[in-house]
Amino acid sequence: MQSRIPPPLPRTGRPRSATADAAILEATRAALVDLGWSKLTMGDVATRAGVAKTTLYRRWASKNELVVDAVAVLFDELELPDNGSLAADIGGVVLQFAALLNRPETKTALMAVVAESTRDEPLRERIRTSIVDRQKRLVLEGRARAHARGELPLEADPAAAARTADLIFDVVAGAVVHRTLVSAEPVDEEWVDRFTMLLLGGLASVQA
């Protein structure tokens, strides 16, 4: 006799509220700006967000996870503009990225989690999956659009194409983060134009 698989049990408890999540993440960023990483506690965030501390712990197991997610949603705001050419598209997203990094809540939160991740491998992995891997969508979208326009050749080898996408992301993210947060120099249109020319020249040689 064939055994029957029982239907899944109904979920219990109150459904997770997107509004509460947004309030918690916003409160986390505000607390980071006011208090800094070392003084920030889950209790501070709960008070600012107007929720119970147990509510936070049901969603995030630690302060590290909470702060990474608070940063990640900011980076999800980035969009690749369709400005008619690969160079113009790159320039547009680089200016967006620099403007995002110049926001006090982004700057404070990102620098804090990156510094803390040097001593915490699980935190580093969460940064990779929640921020880095998610934002690689911009590279993939831009490259697909450039292929459709005939601006870039297709890479026949999927593994090589994936490595190229990783390299593009590393170059763009590394240059803009260093320029904005380390050197504290402006990312203006002149700098973006020069950077884009350098990137496209390097990309042409990689894909030749």
Side-chain angles (χ1 to χ4, degrees):
M1 181 176 177
Q2 191 174 22
S3 61
R4 295 180 60 192
I5 300 174
L9 295 173
R11 295 183 64 182
T12 59
R14 296 176 63 185
R16 184 162 172 166
S17 165
T19 301
D21 282 1
I24 290 166
L25 297 177
E26 183 177 355
T28 302
R29 294 188 294 269
L32 269 171
V33 172
D34 292 344
L35 304 173
W37 175 274
S38 62
K39 294 182 179 179
L40 176 69
T41 68
M42 298 289 266
D44 293 321
V45 174
T47 299
R48 288 170 182 257
V51 300
K53 192 158 63 171
T54 53
T55 301
L56 262 66
Y57 281 108
R58 281 198 298 269
R59 290 161 162 79
W60 294 277
S62 68
K63 178 174 81 171
N64 291 357
E65 293 184 3
L66 174 60
V67 173
V68 171
D69 284 3
V71 178
V73 297
L74 295 178
F75 284 96
D76 287 342
E77 296 175 10
L78 293 173
E79 294 181 355
L80 184 71
D82 189 349
N83 290 330
S85 70
L86 179 58
D89 292 353
I90 292 171
V93 79
V94 166
L95 287 170
Q96 279 185 57
F97 185 29
L100 177 62
L101 292 177
N102 273 317
R103 287 163 56 176
E105 64 271 29
T106 313
K107 184 184 305 184
T108 303
L110 183 62
M111 295 292 272
V113 295
V114 169
E116 193 68 19
S117 72
T118 62
R119 301 182 293 272
D120 187 335
E121 180 56 36
L123 176 59
R124 190 178 307 168
E125 179 59 27
R126 191 173 183 89
I127 292 171
R128 262 195 301 268
T129 57
S130 298
I131 300 176
V132 175
D133 290 346
R134 278 190 354 212
Q135 296 316 311
K136 285 181 182 177
R137 66 184 169 82
L138 298 168
V139 174
L140 299 177
E141 182 183 344
R143 191 168 60 171
R145 191 183 292 165
H147 291 159
R149 291 177 182 144
E151 295 174 295
L152 287 177
L154 285 168
E155 288 187 85
D157 181 1
R163 289 195 298 271
T164 301
D166 286 347
L167 182 59
I168 295 169
F169 181 86
D170 290 344
V171 169
V172 174
V176 180
V177 168
H178 187 278
R179 177 83 177 175
T180 306
L181 300 184
V182 180
S183 299
E185 296 287 344
V187 176
D188 52 23
E189 291 192 6
E190 180 185 358
W191 184 88
V192 170
D193 288 344
R194 294 176 62 201
F195 171 72
T196 301
M197 290 176 59
L198 183 66
L199 177 64
L200 291 178
L203 188 57
S205 65
V206 167
Q207 296 197 278

